[in-house]
Amino acid sequence: WAGEHGLTELAAESLAEETARIRRRIAGPAATGGCRAAAELTTLRSRLQAAVQRYAGVSRTRTGLSLLVEEVQAIQTELAGKQVADIKTYNQALMDLLQLETLCEVALLVAGSALLREESRGHHYRSDFPRTEEGWLCHTSVVRDGEKARFAPKPL
C-alpha cells in the first residue's frame, strides 16, 4: 500500500500543534531542579507500571480496570504542569516526560478495550467474564473523538 500511495504530506497545522505541545513542556534555560524532575518522573512511571501490572495483567476485572483508569488519570493530572529544563543537547528528561505521557495514553487504551470486551479470549482473561462468547467474534475499534477515545466492537 505504501509503495503504491507514496509519501503523505504532513499537515502544517498538525505539526505546529505538536511543536507547541512539546515546547510547553520545556522551561526556560535558567530552570533548575532537573534531578528532582527526573526523580518525580521515575516515581510516576513506577506507579503507572505497578498499576498496569496489577489491574491489566493476566487476570482482569471491571473493578480493577476502573481503578487503573483512575490511577492513570491521577498520574496524568500530576504530569499536566510538569516542565523540564531547556537543554540544547539530548534532553533525556524531556524524552522521559513525553514517553510517560504516551505510556499513560496506551494504558488508557488497554483498559478501555478490556472494559469493552466482556468475555475471555486468548491472552485476555476477565475473571468476572470467564467464558468465551460467540457473540464477541469481533475486533475492538478505538477512534479518537476530540480529546477522548471511543471504543466499539468492529465486525471481523
Side-chain angles (χ1 to χ4, degrees):
W1 187 94
E4 291 175 15
H5 293 87
L7 297 175
T8 300
E9 291 295 320
L10 291 175
E13 182 181 306
S14 177
L15 187 57
E17 201 174 282
E18 183 63 7
T19 300
R21 181 184 76 85
I22 293 171
R23 281 192 176 140
R24 284 191 300 272
R25 294 309 203 155
I26 301 171
T32 59
C35 292
R36 187 175 52 100
E40 290 172 359
L41 291 174
T42 299
T43 299
L44 291 173
R45 186 178 180 127
S46 294
R47 274 178 52 196
L48 178 63
Q49 287 174 323
V52 169
Q53 183 64 39
R54 181 172 183 184
Y55 299 122
V58 174
S59 181
R60 306 165 180 182
T61 64
R62 175 174 300 286
T63 301
L65 291 165
S66 297
L67 289 170
L68 173 58
V69 169
E70 289 176 20
E71 179 67 1
V72 173
Q73 289 171 337
I75 292 168
Q76 287 177 315
T77 298
E78 290 185 48
L79 277 176
K82 294 240 182 284
Q83 290 184 309
V84 297
D86 185 6
I87 299 171
K88 299 301 179 200
T89 57
Y90 184 77
N91 192 333
Q92 184 64 52
L94 178 60
M95 293 291 94
D96 291 344
L97 177 59
L98 297 174
Q99 285 177 352
L100 186 52
E101 283 181 333
T102 302
L103 288 169
C104 285
E105 287 182 36
V106 170
L108 290 175
L109 294 174
V110 168
S113 297
L115 282 164
L116 176 71
R117 186 173 284 274
E118 295 182 336
E119 66 143 10
S120 291
R121 182 178 302 268
H123 68 278
H124 171 74
Y125 180 75
R126 287 277 303 264
S127 58
D128 50 351
F129 294 97
R131 295 176 37 148
T132 299
E133 301 292 335
E134 292 305 314
W136 272 103
L137 287 174
C138 57
H139 296 292
T140 301
S141 171
V142 184
V143 177
R144 183 180 294 267
D145 189 3
E147 291 298 314
K148 299 231 177 219
R150 189 179 64 218
F151 300 88
K154 182 179 177 185
L156 296 177

